[in-house]
Amino acid sequence: MRRSFPLAACAAALLLGAPCAFAQSGGVEKAVGGYSFEAAAKEAPTTKDFHSADGHLTFAIVTHTAGNGFFDPVYVGATAAGNLIGAKILLLGSESPTDDPAREIEILNQIVQDPTIDGLIMTTPQVGAYNDIVKAAEAKGIPVATTNSFDATILDRSGISHTGQDASAAAIAGEALVKCLADKGIEKGSIVLPSSTAMGNIEVNNRVTSAFNAIVKGLKAAGKLDAFKVDAGPENTGIDTNPNDPVNGIVTLFESRGDVVGAFAGNNVFTPALAKAVAQTGKTGKICAYGFDLGPAQQDALKSGDLTGALGQQPFLQGFYPVMQLYLQIDRGISAANLDTRAQLVTKETVSKVGKRFEN
């Protein structure tokens, strides 16, 4: 009986300076059903002529504020996904630096009538305001995906994919704030959570509530809740602060309380304002100030110490995944699937790692 000794032979070959390759085992050449994976992985011949029948796919992504930089990585992610599948991506949104759902809806009403559109991606910060858009798109056979802000009541919610960060992720900032207080040896004072329900963004309201609950829970667990006054307004959705003049609003809030040792802001309007208020009142490094998003203003504030920490929601994914989801619905008939982009806590020590590939 003849035997081979591949390991011994390979070792001998290596001693002689010759390369040695092992044969792979466990490889799968074709599906159990008999078809080849190579053939099955190819795009369907009808995909490029879906809906508009113009030889290529065109997706539109519309956001409620393109003017403050937060959605820049979202647009990058959507463009990257479009390049991978050979789709044209229209990057649209309100020009305002603050939340502007009304302008977004105006753009959506225009784009849904565009005969070249094969898929629609939109943010939905104003609950109940997008049903007519969904109805119009579905009547034309255009699939819809939502991203960033979540409207649980939207028409055909179970048939529409959503990519975004669950508001409960704000608890991470609340927990970090409690730890920061302990690290600084702060034993008492006020913790304020400024915001504005007038902006109509339910997601922001829920973030503030989640952060508030986490702060209260953390202080209670440490046996220190009675020493602090944690204030997020009467409904725990934020102390009402003017979104059109948020810096002065927060400065006034600090001055009126007199003993602010911690603060949390839940969006891209109030977080930079919180940082400026911290600097103006001379509280840099003295209080625990946490916010949301990782735009240029937030990164500068983290570097200067005006912000202790900020939560990113990995917005690159919020552009990339919806494009791929729509493509999979069109090309593969895959049902809508959701993606939670989670949270990324960034501090002065880690801010230099942010945005290396336009991902944050």
Side-chain angles (χ1 to χ4, degrees), residues 49-52 57-59 112 114-115 117-120 133-144 326 329-330:
D49 282 324
F50 176 80
H51 186 253
S52 60
L57 292 173
T58 300
F59 297 156
V112 79
D114 188 333
I117 297 299
D118 299 295
L120 177 62
I133 304 295
V134 174
K135 191 179 296 183
E138 291 186 345
K140 296 175 180 293
I142 301 172
V144 176
L326 290 180
Q329 287 179 247
I330 293 168

mmCIF file with all atom_site columns, all heavy atoms in Angstrom, residues 49-52 57-59 112 114-115 117-120 133-144 326 329-330:
data_model
loop_
_atom_site.group_PDB
_atom_site.id
_atom_site.type_symbol
_atom_site.label_atom_id
_atom_site.label_alt_id
_atom_site.label_comp_id
_atom_site.label_asym_id
_atom_site.label_entity_id
_atom_site.label_seq_id
_atom_site.pdbx_PDB_ins_code
_atom_site.Cartn_x
_atom_site.Cartn_y
_atom_site.Cartn_z
_atom_site.occupancy
_atom_site.B_iso_or_equiv
_atom_site.pdbx_formal_charge
_atom_site.auth_seq_id
_atom_site.auth_comp_id
_atom_site.auth_asym_id
_atom_site.auth_atom_id
_atom_site.pdbx_PDB_model_num
ATOM 1   N N   . ASP A 1 49  ? -33.491 48.047 -16.036 1.00 0.00 ? 49  ASP A N   1
ATOM 2   C CA  . ASP A 1 49  ? -34.660 48.656 -16.673 1.00 0.00 ? 49  ASP A CA  1
ATOM 3   C C   . ASP A 1 49  ? -35.870 48.668 -15.763 1.00 0.00 ? 49  ASP A C   1
ATOM 4   O O   . ASP A 1 49  ? -37.006 48.773 -16.212 1.00 0.00 ? 49  ASP A O   1
ATOM 5   C CB  . ASP A 1 49  ? -35.005 47.924 -17.981 1.00 0.00 ? 49  ASP A CB  1
ATOM 6   C CG  . ASP A 1 49  ? -34.084 48.332 -19.113 1.00 0.00 ? 49  ASP A CG  1
ATOM 7   O OD1 . ASP A 1 49  ? -33.700 49.508 -19.172 1.00 0.00 ? 49  ASP A OD1 1
ATOM 8   O OD2 . ASP A 1 49  ? -33.740 47.462 -19.930 1.00 0.00 ? 49  ASP A OD2 1
ATOM 9   N N   . PHE A 1 50  ? -35.628 48.570 -14.473 1.00 0.00 ? 50  PHE A N   1
ATOM 10  C CA  . PHE A 1 50  ? -36.718 48.627 -13.499 1.00 0.00 ? 50  PHE A CA  1
ATOM 11  C C   . PHE A 1 50  ? -37.377 49.997 -13.516 1.00 0.00 ? 50  PHE A C   1
ATOM 12  O O   . PHE A 1 50  ? -36.705 51.031 -13.511 1.00 0.00 ? 50  PHE A O   1
ATOM 13  C CB  . PHE A 1 50  ? -36.175 48.324 -12.104 1.00 0.00 ? 50  PHE A CB  1
ATOM 14  C CG  . PHE A 1 50  ? -37.195 48.450 -11.009 1.00 0.00 ? 50  PHE A CG  1
ATOM 15  C CD1 . PHE A 1 50  ? -38.108 47.432 -10.773 1.00 0.00 ? 50  PHE A CD1 1
ATOM 16  C CD2 . PHE A 1 50  ? -37.253 49.590 -10.227 1.00 0.00 ? 50  PHE A CD2 1
ATOM 17  C CE1 . PHE A 1 50  ? -39.052 47.554 -9.765  1.00 0.00 ? 50  PHE A CE1 1
ATOM 18  C CE2 . PHE A 1 50  ? -38.189 49.719 -9.213  1.00 0.00 ? 50  PHE A CE2 1
ATOM 19  C CZ  . PHE A 1 50  ? -39.091 48.701 -8.987  1.00 0.00 ? 50  PHE A CZ  1
ATOM 20  N N   . HIS A 1 51  ? -38.675 50.033 -13.555 1.00 0.00 ? 51  HIS A N   1
ATOM 21  C CA  . HIS A 1 51  ? -39.514 51.226 -13.491 1.00 0.00 ? 51  HIS A CA  1
ATOM 22  C C   . HIS A 1 51  ? -39.250 52.232 -14.608 1.00 0.00 ? 51  HIS A C   1
ATOM 23  O O   . HIS A 1 51  ? -40.045 52.370 -15.513 1.00 0.00 ? 51  HIS A O   1
ATOM 24  C CB  . HIS A 1 51  ? -39.407 51.916 -12.127 1.00 0.00 ? 51  HIS A CB  1
ATOM 25  C CG  . HIS A 1 51  ? -40.370 53.066 -11.993 1.00 0.00 ? 51  HIS A CG  1
ATOM 26  N ND1 . HIS A 1 51  ? -39.963 54.379 -12.030 1.00 0.00 ? 51  HIS A ND1 1
ATOM 27  C CD2 . HIS A 1 51  ? -41.705 53.091 -11.861 1.00 0.00 ? 51  HIS A CD2 1
ATOM 28  C CE1 . HIS A 1 51  ? -41.023 55.168 -11.918 1.00 0.00 ? 51  HIS A CE1 1
ATOM 29  N NE2 . HIS A 1 51  ? -42.094 54.395 -11.803 1.00 0.00 ? 51  HIS A NE2 1
ATOM 30  N N   . SER A 1 52  ? -38.124 52.954 -14.556 1.00 0.00 ? 52  SER A N   1
ATOM 31  C CA  . SER A 1 52  ? -37.887 54.007 -15.543 1.00 0.00 ? 52  SER A CA  1
ATOM 32  C C   . SER A 1 52  ? -37.496 53.456 -16.904 1.00 0.00 ? 52  SER A C   1
ATOM 33  O O   . SER A 1 52  ? -37.611 54.154 -17.911 1.00 0.00 ? 52  SER A O   1
ATOM 34  C CB  . SER A 1 52  ? -36.787 54.960 -15.053 1.00 0.00 ? 52  SER A CB  1
ATOM 35  O OG  . SER A 1 52  ? -35.578 54.255 -14.856 1.00 0.00 ? 52  SER A OG  1
ATOM 36  N N   . LEU A 1 57  ? -30.312 52.331 -12.941 1.00 0.00 ? 57  LEU A N   1
ATOM 37  C CA  . LEU A 1 57  ? -31.118 52.647 -11.768 1.00 0.00 ? 57  LEU A CA  1
ATOM 38  C C   . LEU A 1 57  ? -30.783 54.062 -11.270 1.00 0.00 ? 57  LEU A C   1
ATOM 39  O O   . LEU A 1 57  ? -29.627 54.469 -11.280 1.00 0.00 ? 57  LEU A O   1
ATOM 40  C CB  . LEU A 1 57  ? -30.848 51.652 -10.639 1.00 0.00 ? 57  LEU A CB  1
ATOM 41  C CG  . LEU A 1 57  ? -31.311 50.210 -10.876 1.00 0.00 ? 57  LEU A CG  1
ATOM 42  C CD1 . LEU A 1 57  ? -30.830 49.308 -9.749  1.00 0.00 ? 57  LEU A CD1 1
ATOM 43  C CD2 . LEU A 1 57  ? -32.823 50.140 -11.011 1.00 0.00 ? 57  LEU A CD2 1
ATOM 44  N N   . THR A 1 58  ? -31.813 54.770 -10.827 1.00 0.00 ? 58  THR A N   1
ATOM 45  C CA  . THR A 1 58  ? -31.638 56.084 -10.235 1.00 0.00 ? 58  THR A CA  1
ATOM 46  C C   . THR A 1 58  ? -32.384 56.125 -8.907  1.00 0.00 ? 58  THR A C   1
ATOM 47  O O   . THR A 1 58  ? -33.596 55.911 -8.857  1.00 0.00 ? 58  THR A O   1
ATOM 48  C CB  . THR A 1 58  ? -32.188 57.200 -11.145 1.00 0.00 ? 58  THR A CB  1
ATOM 49  O OG1 . THR A 1 58  ? -31.489 57.177 -12.394 1.00 0.00 ? 58  THR A OG1 1
ATOM 50  C CG2 . THR A 1 58  ? -32.009 58.572 -10.493 1.00 0.00 ? 58  THR A CG2 1
ATOM 51  N N   . PHE A 1 59  ? -31.647 56.368 -7.835  1.00 0.00 ? 59  PHE A N   1
ATOM 52  C CA  . PHE A 1 59  ? -32.238 56.489 -6.507  1.00 0.00 ? 59  PHE A CA  1
ATOM 53  C C   . PHE A 1 59  ? -32.076 57.929 -6.026  1.00 0.00 ? 59  PHE A C   1
ATOM 54  O O   . PHE A 1 59  ? -31.029 58.547 -6.242  1.00 0.00 ? 59  PHE A O   1
ATOM 55  C CB  . PHE A 1 59  ? -31.560 55.555 -5.497  1.00 0.00 ? 59  PHE A CB  1
ATOM 56  C CG  . PHE A 1 59  ? -31.711 54.088 -5.800  1.00 0.00 ? 59  PHE A CG  1
ATOM 57  C CD1 . PHE A 1 59  ? -30.793 53.173 -5.303  1.00 0.00 ? 59  PHE A CD1 1
ATOM 58  C CD2 . PHE A 1 59  ? -32.762 53.608 -6.565  1.00 0.00 ? 59  PHE A CD2 1
ATOM 59  C CE1 . PHE A 1 59  ? -30.914 51.822 -5.564  1.00 0.00 ? 59  PHE A CE1 1
ATOM 60  C CE2 . PHE A 1 59  ? -32.899 52.255 -6.834  1.00 0.00 ? 59  PHE A CE2 1
ATOM 61  C CZ  . PHE A 1 59  ? -31.970 51.356 -6.334  1.00 0.00 ? 59  PHE A CZ  1
ATOM 62  N N   . VAL A 1 112 ? -41.013 62.628 -6.266  1.00 0.00 ? 112 VAL A N   1
ATOM 63  C CA  . VAL A 1 112 ? -41.818 61.432 -6.456  1.00 0.00 ? 112 VAL A CA  1
ATOM 64  C C   . VAL A 1 112 ? -42.555 61.462 -7.805  1.00 0.00 ? 112 VAL A C   1
ATOM 65  O O   . VAL A 1 112 ? -43.020 60.429 -8.289  1.00 0.00 ? 112 VAL A O   1
ATOM 66  C CB  . VAL A 1 112 ? -42.811 61.257 -5.278  1.00 0.00 ? 112 VAL A CB  1
ATOM 67  C CG1 . VAL A 1 112 ? -44.024 62.166 -5.437  1.00 0.00 ? 112 VAL A CG1 1
ATOM 68  C CG2 . VAL A 1 112 ? -43.241 59.800 -5.150  1.00 0.00 ? 112 VAL A CG2 1
ATOM 69  N N   . ASP A 1 114 ? -40.945 62.472 -10.525 1.00 0.00 ? 114 ASP A N   1
ATOM 70  C CA  . ASP A 1 114 ? -39.889 62.347 -11.535 1.00 0.00 ? 114 ASP A CA  1
ATOM 71  C C   . ASP A 1 114 ? -39.936 60.954 -12.166 1.00 0.00 ? 114 ASP A C   1
ATOM 72  O O   . ASP A 1 114 ? -39.768 59.943 -11.470 1.00 0.00 ? 114 ASP A O   1
ATOM 73  C CB  . ASP A 1 114 ? -38.527 62.571 -10.869 1.00 0.00 ? 114 ASP A CB  1
ATOM 74  C CG  . ASP A 1 114 ? -37.392 62.661 -11.868 1.00 0.00 ? 114 ASP A CG  1
ATOM 75  O OD1 . ASP A 1 114 ? -37.504 62.085 -12.963 1.00 0.00 ? 114 ASP A OD1 1
ATOM 76  O OD2 . ASP A 1 114 ? -36.370 63.299 -11.545 1.00 0.00 ? 114 ASP A OD2 1
ATOM 77  N N   . PRO A 1 115 ? -40.153 60.843 -13.465 1.00 0.00 ? 115 PRO A N   1
ATOM 78  C CA  . PRO A 1 115 ? -40.284 59.524 -14.115 1.00 0.00 ? 115 PRO A CA  1
ATOM 79  C C   . PRO A 1 115 ? -38.985 58.729 -14.169 1.00 0.00 ? 115 PRO A C   1
ATOM 80  O O   . PRO A 1 115 ? -39.010 57.538 -14.467 1.00 0.00 ? 115 PRO A O   1
ATOM 81  C CB  . PRO A 1 115 ? -40.773 59.873 -15.524 1.00 0.00 ? 115 PRO A CB  1
ATOM 82  C CG  . PRO A 1 115 ? -40.281 61.267 -15.762 1.00 0.00 ? 115 PRO A CG  1
ATOM 83  C CD  . PRO A 1 115 ? -40.354 61.944 -14.428 1.00 0.00 ? 115 PRO A CD  1
ATOM 84  N N   . ILE A 1 117 ? -36.981 58.223 -11.571 1.00 0.00 ? 117 ILE A N   1
ATOM 85  C CA  . ILE A 1 117 ? -36.664 57.677 -10.247 1.00 0.00 ? 117 ILE A CA  1
ATOM 86  C C   . ILE A 1 117 ? -37.082 56.213 -10.143 1.00 0.00 ? 117 ILE A C   1
ATOM 87  O O   . ILE A 1 117 ? -38.207 55.846 -10.470 1.00 0.00 ? 117 ILE A O   1
ATOM 88  C CB  . ILE A 1 117 ? -37.357 58.500 -9.140  1.00 0.00 ? 117 ILE A CB  1
ATOM 89  C CG1 . ILE A 1 117 ? -36.847 59.940 -9.144  1.00 0.00 ? 117 ILE A CG1 1
ATOM 90  C CG2 . ILE A 1 117 ? -37.140 57.864 -7.769  1.00 0.00 ? 117 ILE A CG2 1
ATOM 91  C CD1 . ILE A 1 117 ? -35.376 60.064 -8.874  1.00 0.00 ? 117 ILE A CD1 1
ATOM 92  N N   . ASP A 1 118 ? -36.149 55.393 -9.647  1.00 0.00 ? 118 ASP A N   1
ATOM 93  C CA  . ASP A 1 118 ? -36.416 53.966 -9.462  1.00 0.00 ? 118 ASP A CA  1
ATOM 94  C C   . ASP A 1 118 ? -36.526 53.571 -7.993  1.00 0.00 ? 118 ASP A C   1
ATOM 95  O O   . ASP A 1 118 ? -36.978 52.468 -7.673  1.00 0.00 ? 118 ASP A O   1
ATOM 96  C CB  . ASP A 1 118 ? -35.303 53.126 -10.110 1.00 0.00 ? 118 ASP A CB  1
ATOM 97  C CG  . ASP A 1 118 ? -35.212 53.368 -11.603 1.00 0.00 ? 118 ASP A CG  1
ATOM 98  O OD1 . ASP A 1 118 ? -36.173 53.035 -12.307 1.00 0.00 ? 118 ASP A OD1 1
ATOM 99  O OD2 . ASP A 1 118 ? -34.187 53.897 -12.062 1.00 0.00 ? 118 ASP A OD2 1
ATOM 100 N N   . GLY A 1 119 ? -36.105 54.448 -7.097  1.00 0.00 ? 119 GLY A N   1
ATOM 101 C CA  . GLY A 1 119 ? -36.174 54.163 -5.669  1.00 0.00 ? 119 GLY A CA  1
ATOM 102 C C   . GLY A 1 119 ? -36.030 55.445 -4.878  1.00 0.00 ? 119 GLY A C   1
ATOM 103 O O   . GLY A 1 119 ? -35.373 56.392 -5.328  1.00 0.00 ? 119 GLY A O   1
ATOM 104 N N   . LEU A 1 120 ? -36.661 55.500 -3.700  1.00 0.00 ? 120 LEU A N   1
ATOM 105 C CA  . LEU A 1 120 ? -36.665 56.726 -2.902  1.00 0.00 ? 120 LEU A CA  1
ATOM 106 C C   . LEU A 1 120 ? -36.237 56.431 -1.466  1.00 0.00 ? 120 LEU A C   1
ATOM 107 O O   . LEU A 1 120 ? -36.759 55.520 -0.825  1.00 0.00 ? 120 LEU A O   1
ATOM 108 C CB  . LEU A 1 120 ? -38.077 57.329 -2.905  1.00 0.00 ? 120 LEU A CB  1
ATOM 109 C CG  . LEU A 1 120 ? -38.294 58.593 -2.065  1.00 0.00 ? 120 LEU A CG  1
ATOM 110 C CD1 . LEU A 1 120 ? -37.426 59.735 -2.581  1.00 0.00 ? 120 LEU A CD1 1
ATOM 111 C CD2 . LEU A 1 120 ? -39.774 58.992 -2.093  1.00 0.00 ? 120 LEU A CD2 1
ATOM 112 N N   . ILE A 1 133 ? -46.532 60.713 0.574   1.00 0.00 ? 133 ILE A N   1
ATOM 113 C CA  . ILE A 1 133 ? -45.346 60.453 -0.247  1.00 0.00 ? 133 ILE A CA  1
ATOM 114 C C   . ILE A 1 133 ? -45.226 58.960 -0.522  1.00 0.00 ? 133 ILE A C   1
ATOM 115 O O   . ILE A 1 133 ? -45.005 58.531 -1.662  1.00 0.00 ? 133 ILE A O   1
ATOM 116 C CB  . ILE A 1 133 ? -44.068 60.940 0.467   1.00 0.00 ? 133 ILE A CB  1
ATOM 117 C CG1 . ILE A 1 133 ? -44.171 62.427 0.832   1.00 0.00 ? 133 ILE A CG1 1
ATOM 118 C CG2 . ILE A 1 133 ? -42.839 60.648 -0.379  1.00 0.00 ? 133 ILE A CG2 1
ATOM 119 C CD1 . ILE A 1 133 ? -44.249 63.345 -0.344  1.00 0.00 ? 133 ILE A CD1 1
ATOM 120 N N   . VAL A 1 134 ? -45.388 58.162 0.527   1.00 0.00 ? 134 VAL A N   1
ATOM 121 C CA  . VAL A 1 134 ? -45.305 56.703 0.375   1.00 0.00 ? 134 VAL A CA  1
ATOM 122 C C   . VAL A 1 134 ? -46.399 56.210 -0.564  1.00 0.00 ? 134 VAL A C   1
ATOM 123 O O   . VAL A 1 134 ? -46.153 55.385 -1.453  1.00 0.00 ? 134 VAL A O   1
ATOM 124 C CB  . VAL A 1 134 ? -45.422 56.007 1.744   1.00 0.00 ? 134 VAL A CB  1
ATOM 125 C CG1 . VAL A 1 134 ? -45.493 54.494 1.575   1.00 0.00 ? 134 VAL A CG1 1
ATOM 126 C CG2 . VAL A 1 134 ? -44.236 56.374 2.627   1.00 0.00 ? 134 VAL A CG2 1
ATOM 127 N N   . LYS A 1 135 ? -47.593 56.733 -0.381  1.00 0.00 ? 135 LYS A N   1
ATOM 128 C CA  . LYS A 1 135 ? -48.723 56.310 -1.216  1.00 0.00 ? 135 LYS A CA  1
ATOM 129 C C   . LYS A 1 135 ? -48.462 56.627 -2.689  1.00 0.00 ? 135 LYS A C   1
ATOM 130 O O   . LYS A 1 135 ? -48.713 55.803 -3.576  1.00 0.00 ? 135 LYS A O   1
ATOM 131 C CB  . LYS A 1 135 ? -49.995 57.011 -0.742  1.00 0.00 ? 135 LYS A CB  1
ATOM 132 C CG  . LYS A 1 135 ? -51.275 56.474 -1.356  1.00 0.00 ? 135 LYS A CG  1
ATOM 133 C CD  . LYS A 1 135 ? -52.497 57.220 -0.798  1.00 0.00 ? 135 LYS A CD  1
ATOM 134 C CE  . LYS A 1 135 ? -52.650 56.987 0.682   1.00 0.00 ? 135 LYS A CE  1
ATOM 135 N NZ  . LYS A 1 135 ? -53.874 57.662 1.212   1.00 0.00 ? 135 LYS A NZ  1
ATOM 136 N N   . ALA A 1 136 ? -47.944 57.814 -2.950  1.00 0.00 ? 136 ALA A N   1
ATOM 137 C CA  . ALA A 1 136 ? -47.660 58.216 -4.334  1.00 0.00 ? 136 ALA A CA  1
ATOM 138 C C   . ALA A 1 136 ? -46.556 57.362 -4.946  1.00 0.00 ? 136 ALA A C   1
ATOM 139 O O   . ALA A 1 136 ? -46.633 56.957 -6.111  1.00 0.00 ? 136 ALA A O   1
ATOM 140 C CB  . ALA A 1 136 ? -47.270 59.687 -4.374  1.00 0.00 ? 136 ALA A CB  1
ATOM 141 N N   . ALA A 1 137 ? -45.509 57.086 -4.153  1.00 0.00 ? 137 ALA A N   1
ATOM 142 C CA  . ALA A 1 137 ? -44.392 56.275 -4.659  1.00 0.00 ? 137 ALA A CA  1
ATOM 143 C C   . ALA A 1 137 ? -44.854 54.848 -4.951  1.00 0.00 ? 137 ALA A C   1
ATOM 144 O O   . ALA A 1 137 ? -44.548 54.288 -6.016  1.00 0.00 ? 137 ALA A O   1
ATOM 145 C CB  . ALA A 1 137 ? -43.256 56.271 -3.649  1.00 0.00 ? 137 ALA A CB  1
ATOM 146 N N   . GLU A 1 138 ? -45.573 54.257 -4.023  1.00 0.00 ? 138 GLU A N   1
ATOM 147 C CA  . GLU A 1 138 ? -46.020 52.874 -4.208  1.00 0.00 ? 138 GLU A CA  1
ATOM 148 C C   . GLU A 1 138 ? -46.998 52.746 -5.371  1.00 0.00 ? 138 GLU A C   1
ATOM 149 O O   . GLU A 1 138 ? -47.012 51.728 -6.068  1.00 0.00 ? 138 GLU A O   1
ATOM 150 C CB  . GLU A 1 138 ? -46.636 52.353 -2.910  1.00 0.00 ? 138 GLU A CB  1
ATOM 151 C CG  . GLU A 1 138 ? -45.603 52.164 -1.802  1.00 0.00 ? 138 GLU A CG  1
ATOM 152 C CD  . GLU A 1 138 ? -46.179 51.519 -0.560  1.00 0.00 ? 138 GLU A CD  1
ATOM 153 O OE1 . GLU A 1 138 ? -47.425 51.466 -0.434  1.00 0.00 ? 138 GLU A OE1 1
ATOM 154 O OE2 . GLU A 1 138 ? -45.387 51.071 0.303   1.00 0.00 ? 138 GLU A OE2 1
ATOM 155 N N   . ALA A 1 139 ? -47.809 53.787 -5.590  1.00 0.00 ? 139 ALA A N   1
ATOM 156 C CA  . ALA A 1 139 ? -48.735 53.766 -6.725  1.00 0.00 ? 139 ALA A CA  1
ATOM 157 C C   . ALA A 1 139 ? -47.994 53.727 -8.052  1.00 0.00 ? 139 ALA A C   1
ATOM 158 O O   . ALA A 1 139 ? -48.492 53.182 -9.047  1.00 0.00 ? 139 ALA A O   1
ATOM 159 C CB  . ALA A 1 139 ? -49.649 54.988 -6.671  1.00 0.00 ? 139 ALA A CB  1
ATOM 160 N N   . LYS A 1 140 ? -46.776 54.291 -8.054  1.00 0.00 ? 140 LYS A N   1
ATOM 161 C CA  . LYS A 1 140 ? -45.957 54.295 -9.259  1.00 0.00 ? 140 LYS A CA  1
ATOM 162 C C   . LYS A 1 140 ? -45.014 53.091 -9.332  1.00 0.00 ? 140 LYS A C   1
ATOM 163 O O   . LYS A 1 140 ? -44.236 52.958 -10.270 1.00 0.00 ? 140 LYS A O   1
ATOM 164 C CB  . LYS A 1 140 ? -45.134 55.588 -9.325  1.00 0.00 ? 140 LYS A CB  1
ATOM 165 C CG  . LYS A 1 140 ? -45.972 56.857 -9.458  1.00 0.00 ? 140 LYS A CG  1
ATOM 166 C CD  . LYS A 1 140 ? -45.102 58.102 -9.400  1.00 0.00 ? 140 LYS A CD  1
ATOM 167 C CE  . LYS A 1 140 ? -45.914 59.361 -9.538  1.00 0.00 ? 140 LYS A CE  1
ATOM 168 N NZ  . LYS A 1 140 ? -46.523 59.501 -10.875 1.00 0.00 ? 140 LYS A NZ  1
ATOM 169 N N   . GLY A 1 141 ? -45.038 52.257 -8.301  1.00 0.00 ? 141 GLY A N   1
ATOM 170 C CA  . GLY A 1 141 ? -44.158 51.094 -8.279  1.00 0.00 ? 141 GLY A CA  1
ATOM 171 C C   . GLY A 1 141 ? -42.745 51.416 -7.835  1.00 0.00 ? 141 GLY A C   1
ATOM 172 O O   . GLY A 1 141 ? -41.811 50.667 -8.143  1.00 0.00 ? 141 GLY A O   1
ATOM 173 N N   . ILE A 1 142 ? -42.570 52.523 -7.124  1.00 0.00 ? 142 ILE A N   1
ATOM 174 C CA  . ILE A 1 142 ? -41.246 52.939 -6.659  1.00 0.00 ? 142 ILE A CA  1
ATOM 175 C C   . ILE A 1 142 ? -41.062 52.475 -5.218  1.00 0.00 ? 142 ILE A C   1
ATOM 176 O O   . ILE A 1 142 ? -41.808 52.884 -4.331  1.00 0.00 ? 142 ILE A O   1
ATOM 177 C CB  . ILE A 1 142 ? -41.097 54.476 -6.727  1.00 0.00 ? 142 ILE A CB  1
ATOM 178 C CG1 . ILE A 1 142 ? -41.291 54.972 -8.163  1.00 0.00 ? 142 ILE A CG1 1
ATOM 179 C CG2 . ILE A 1 142 ? -39.730 54.898 -6.193  1.00 0.00 ? 142 ILE A CG2 1
ATOM 180 C CD1 . ILE A 1 142 ? -41.357 56.487 -8.273  1.00 0.00 ? 142 ILE A CD1 1
ATOM 181 N N   . PRO A 1 143 ? -40.060 51.642 -4.929  1.00 0.00 ? 143 PRO A N   1
ATOM 182 C CA  . PRO A 1 143 ? -39.822 51.214 -3.543  1.00 0.00 ? 143 PRO A CA  1
ATOM 183 C C   . PRO A 1 143 ? -39.253 52.347 -2.705  1.00 0.00 ? 143 PRO A C   1
ATOM 184 O O   . PRO A 1 143 ? -38.528 53.204 -3.202  1.00 0.00 ? 143 PRO A O   1
ATOM 185 C CB  . PRO A 1 143 ? -38.824 50.069 -3.698  1.00 0.00 ? 143 PRO A CB  1
ATOM 186 C CG  . PRO A 1 143 ? -38.108 50.354 -4.978  1.00 0.00 ? 143 PRO A CG  1
ATOM 187 C CD  . PRO A 1 143 ? -39.116 51.014 -5.873  1.00 0.00 ? 143 PRO A CD  1
ATOM 188 N N   . VAL A 1 144 ? -39.591 52.326 -1.414  1.00 0.00 ? 144 VAL A N   1
ATOM 189 C CA  . VAL A 1 144 ? -39.193 53.379 -0.486  1.00 0.00 ? 144 VAL A CA  1
ATOM 190 C C   . VAL A 1 144 ? -38.378 52.783 0.655   1.00 0.00 ? 144 VAL A C   1
ATOM 191 O O   . VAL A 1 144 ? -38.666 51.687 1.132   1.00 0.00 ? 144 VAL A O   1
ATOM 192 C CB  . VAL A 1 144 ? -40.434 54.103 0.079   1.00 0.00 ? 144 VAL A CB  1
ATOM 193 C CG1 . VAL A 1 144 ? -40.031 55.144 1.122   1.00 0.00 ? 144 VAL A CG1 1
ATOM 194 C CG2 . VAL A 1 144 ? -41.235 54.752 -1.041  1.00 0.00 ? 144 VAL A CG2 1
ATOM 195 N N   . LEU A 1 326 ? -32.626 48.895 -1.271  1.00 0.00 ? 326 LEU A N   1
ATOM 196 C CA  . LEU A 1 326 ? -33.504 49.097 -2.427  1.00 0.00 ? 326 LEU A CA  1
ATOM 197 C C   . LEU A 1 326 ? -33.052 48.247 -3.611  1.00 0.00 ? 326 LEU A C   1
ATOM 198 O O   . LEU A 1 326 ? -33.877 47.661 -4.333  1.00 0.00 ? 326 LEU A O   1
ATOM 199 C CB  . LEU A 1 326 ? -33.524 50.577 -2.823  1.00 0.00 ? 326 LEU A CB  1
ATOM 200 C CG  . LEU A 1 326 ? -34.236 51.536 -1.865  1.00 0.00 ? 326 LEU A CG  1
ATOM 201 C CD1 . LEU A 1 326 ? -34.171 52.956 -2.409  1.00 0.00 ? 326 LEU A CD1 1
ATOM 202 C CD2 . LEU A 1 326 ? -35.676 51.127 -1.641  1.00 0.00 ? 326 LEU A CD2 1
ATOM 203 N N   . GLN A 1 329 ? -34.092 44.714 -3.035  1.00 0.00 ? 329 GLN A N   1
ATOM 204 C CA  . GLN A 1 329 ? -35.530 44.555 -3.261  1.00 0.00 ? 329 GLN A CA  1
ATOM 205 C C   . GLN A 1 329 ? -35.834 44.445 -4.752  1.00 0.00 ? 329 GLN A C   1
ATOM 206 O O   . GLN A 1 329 ? -36.671 43.627 -5.165  1.00 0.00 ? 329 GLN A O   1
ATOM 207 C CB  . GLN A 1 329 ? -36.288 45.738 -2.653  1.00 0.00 ? 329 GLN A CB  1
ATOM 208 C CG  . GLN A 1 329 ? -36.349 45.715 -1.134  1.00 0.00 ? 329 GLN A CG  1
ATOM 209 C CD  . GLN A 1 329 ? -37.087 46.906 -0.570  1.00 0.00 ? 329 GLN A CD  1
ATOM 210 O OE1 . GLN A 1 329 ? -36.496 47.756 0.090   1.00 0.00 ? 329 GLN A OE1 1
ATOM 211 N NE2 . GLN A 1 329 ? -38.372 46.996 -0.826  1.00 0.00 ? 329 GLN A NE2 1
ATOM 212 N N   . ILE A 1 330 ? -35.153 45.271 -5.544  1.00 0.00 ? 330 ILE A N   1
ATOM 213 C CA  . ILE A 1 330 ? -35.395 45.290 -6.990  1.00 0.00 ? 330 ILE A CA  1
ATOM 214 C C   . ILE A 1 330 ? -34.781 44.069 -7.679  1.00 0.00 ? 330 ILE A C   1
ATOM 215 O O   . ILE A 1 330 ? -35.435 43.390 -8.479  1.00 0.00 ? 330 ILE A O   1
ATOM 216 C CB  . ILE A 1 330 ? -34.825 46.580 -7.608  1.00 0.00 ? 330 ILE A CB  1
ATOM 217 C CG1 . ILE A 1 330 ? -35.622 47.794 -7.111  1.00 0.00 ? 330 ILE A CG1 1
ATOM 218 C CG2 . ILE A 1 330 ? -34.839 46.517 -9.138  1.00 0.00 ? 330 ILE A CG2 1
ATOM 219 C CD1 . ILE A 1 330 ? -34.973 49.131 -7.424  1.00 0.00 ? 330 ILE A CD1 1
#
